[in-house]
Amino acid sequence: MKLTHKDFDKDGKGTAGLIPEESEDLWHLYNMVAKFDTIKASTLRKIQKEGSTGTVQTETRKIALTILVKSVEYDAAGNCIRFSGTNCEENQWVKMGAHHTIDIQLNNKLTVGKERWDFMHLQQLDQATDIHKSAEVAIVLLDAGVANFHLLTAVLAKDVHRISVTLPKKRVTTTGYDKAVVRYYEQVYAGIKDHIDLDLVKCVVLAGPGFTKEDYLAWMLLRAQQLGETVFLQKKSMFVCAHASCVHKQALKELLADEQVQKSIANTKAAMHLRALEDFYQTVKNEPDRVSYGPRQVKESIDMGAVQVLMVVDSLFRNANVATRRHYVDMTEGVREQGSTVHIFSQQHISGEQLNQLGGIACILRFPCPELEDIDSEAGLSDDGDELVEIAKEEDVDAFT
């Protein structure tokens, strides 16, 4: 999610300008906005105008409107959130207190206002809008005056910076060419400093089809030594050169399959997920009573306080049924509160595809629970009735009353 602005006073009252860019961003908004918050955004409204002859005409006009939120509806299937409420700011087209619903879709700008942004709200805002804080791998694709910067998390690949410098063709004298190359290298050097936090990423991959990447790495280390930039020298082991067929985004997939790159990102979240899944299958083989999988089995395990490691695929949190999704969130938070390990897998990774075959959720237990064998591993959360769904609906109602 893109943060366009934020303005808070010392008491925590203020606004934040946001642009949801991914489907997950809409879920962040759904959880972030509560009753009595304000939403300001462009919206369509039917306006009645009286003509000179006394006739009344109706037209649909796009206006900027601020509403006091009364309810929020999350539409996962349609990638949309609907904020319903009443107009709370003077507007020439809409009376104060008039009811209106604002639809927010991907890439729509909005401003969220709260009387008090508490610690949890601020933490959620920070996590939702700062891609750098979850970045694990930085990839810089280099070739002949071009450099494309990408930050990769366990689920996203984000373009963060681009450089394009025209390099002259080599002549008998290469003075002009050499100067242009240095200017290019200096821009790449500055781009790494400005857009890649070397204290957060676990690996920086320099890749491309030619020898530019190796030449740049040698120049960068020499330059860092000349300028006394110790951070580059201390972190030089995290810089890895790898071959890529091009400098465009499609090169990212082939790079992550590269053996040398895989060794360098061994401690990333994706690698940890693969190890957790291997531990699960090993436990199935050696101690089958110490595992459970499928929604119902795992929920029973959590209720018993038996979960040691929980694995959940992220697609469960994108469930179109808000009540079902909330239960997966509650189950995950319950395990964390018990001091156990939680892994959220990406369905875009091989590990996520494997976990999907187990119902999307599985766990390794602290102690054997043979009684779980009586529960169908393919049973959903509410297969024994509608009790769970009804409870969730009540929670949704309570959140706005």
Side-chain angles (χ1 to χ4, degrees):
M1 184 137 56
K2 184 176 182 180
L3 179 69
T4 59
H5 81 271
K6 59 180 178 180
D7 182 19
F8 308 135
D9 62 23
K10 62 180 181 180
D11 296 323
K13 180 179 180 179
T15 61
L18 302 167
I19 302 177
E21 299 175 306
E22 310 283 347
S23 297
E24 290 83 355
D25 294 341
L26 296 175
W27 179 247
H28 280 302
L29 281 175
Y30 177 78
N31 286 290
M32 193 182 302
V33 178
K35 188 177 181 180
F36 302 128
D37 290 346
T38 61
I39 294 293
K40 182 177 182 179
S42 294
T43 183
L44 296 176
R45 175 87 177 186
K46 287 185 178 180
I47 306 296
Q48 290 187 337
K49 296 174 62 178
E50 185 174 345
S52 57
T53 60
T55 58
V56 177
Q57 295 181 334
T58 301
E59 65 173 310
T60 300
R61 182 182 290 269
K62 188 174 184 179
I63 60 174
L65 197 65
T66 303
I67 64 171
L68 184 68
V69 176
K70 299 297 183 183
S71 65
V72 182
E73 180 184 349
Y74 173 67
D75 182 0
N79 267 347
C80 176
I81 291 187
R82 298 179 182 89
F83 299 104
S84 297
T86 55
N87 180 35
C88 60
E89 284 190 2
E90 293 289 345
N91 189 291
Q92 71 175 107
W93 306 109
V94 184
K95 295 180 180 179
M96 289 287 289
H99 287 271
H100 188 79
T101 297
I102 295 178
D103 287 1
I104 296 296
Q105 299 177 337
L106 296 182
N107 299 310
N108 290 164
K109 296 180 181 179
L110 76 156
T111 300
V112 179
K114 289 180 178 291
E115 284 297 314
R116 181 173 179 270
W117 289 78
D118 61 26
F119 173 77
M120 291 304 298
H121 288 141
L122 293 174
Q123 185 180 59
Q124 187 175 27
L125 179 67
D126 191 42
Q127 292 174 348
T129 58
D130 191 354
I131 188 68
H132 296 78
K133 292 205 170 178
S134 59
E136 294 189 327
V137 181
I139 295 180
V140 184
L141 299 171
L142 303 160
D143 186 37
V146 177
N148 294 322
F149 292 66
H150 302 274
L151 287 176
L152 276 63
T153 70
V155 295
L156 296 175
K158 201 94 169 187
D159 303 341
V160 293
H161 189 48
R162 292 187 179 186
I163 292 172
S164 180
V165 176
T166 302
L167 299 181
K169 294 182 179 180
K170 289 188 178 182
R171 305 291 183 183
V172 176
T173 171
T174 60
T175 303
Y177 177 83
D178 291 342
K179 288 182 178 179
V181 169
V182 170
R183 286 197 301 271
Y184 167 57
Y185 285 170
E186 287 175 342
Q187 289 189 35
V188 175
Y189 189 86
I192 292 176
K193 289 177 63 177
D194 294 341
H195 298 279
I196 299 175
D197 190 334
L198 297 180
D199 291 326
L200 289 177
V201 298
K202 297 180 174 66
C203 177
V204 180
V205 180
L206 304 176
F211 297 100
T212 304
K213 52 190 178 297
E214 289 89 356
D215 295 341
Y216 169 74
L217 180 58
W219 179 91
M220 183 194 76
L221 296 177
L222 179 61
R223 183 69 167 175
Q225 189 172 11
Q226 293 171 344
L227 297 176
E229 299 271 10
T230 56
V231 64
F232 282 90
L233 300 175
Q234 292 171 351
K235 305 282 188 178
K236 66 180 182 180
S237 61
M238 72 163 52
F239 286 86
V240 177
C241 288
H243 175 77
S245 59
C246 65
V247 293
H248 304 298
K249 198 167 184 176
Q250 56 262 36
L252 299 181
K253 186 175 181 180
E254 62 182 86
L255 284 171
L256 292 178
D258 184 276
E259 289 187 9
Q260 185 180 6
V261 175
Q262 286 183 342
K263 291 179 182 178
S264 300
I265 64 174
N267 293 323
T268 63
K269 187 178 291 184
M272 288 189 284
H273 290 171
L274 286 171
R275 286 199 297 271
L277 203 55
E278 290 174 2
D279 291 343
F280 174 85
Y281 285 123
Q282 193 65 34
T283 307
V284 170
K285 181 180 178 180
N286 298 328
E287 300 178 82
D289 289 341
R290 281 193 56 231
V291 299
S292 66
Y293 57 93
R296 285 300 310 282
Q297 278 197 13
V298 172
K299 186 180 185 306
E300 289 297 324
S301 303
I302 295 172
D303 292 343
M304 295 165 61
V307 177
Q308 179 177 332
V309 178
L310 176 67
M311 297 169 286
V312 188
V313 70
D314 60 1
S315 59
L316 294 181
F317 301 107
R318 292 195 293 273
N319 195 301
N321 185 308
V322 174
T324 301
R325 180 169 184 166
R326 175 159 295 187
H327 275 289
Y328 284 118
V329 173
D330 291 344
M331 288 165 64
T332 303
E333 289 304 312
V335 171
R336 282 181 173 151
E337 291 174 359
Q338 293 173 7
S340 302
T341 302
V342 176
H343 295 295
I344 308 297
F345 285 57
S346 169
Q347 68 173 12
Q348 298 180 18
H349 287 278
I350 296 175
S351 58
E353 294 175 359
Q354 290 179 284
L355 188 56
N356 264 330
Q357 297 174 3
L358 299 171
I361 187 168
C363 59
I364 300 174
L365 307 179
R366 302 177 189 274
F367 45 82
C369 297
E371 61 271 27
L372 294 175
E373 292 183 8
D374 297 332
I375 300 175
D376 184 1
S377 62
E378 296 183 2
L381 286 176
S382 58
D383 283 2
D384 59 345
D386 295 327
E387 179 183 357
L388 291 171
V389 176
E390 291 301 320
I391 292 173
K393 287 181 179 177
E394 291 175 6
E395 291 174 353
D396 282 340
V397 172
D398 291 342
F400 292 99
T401 56

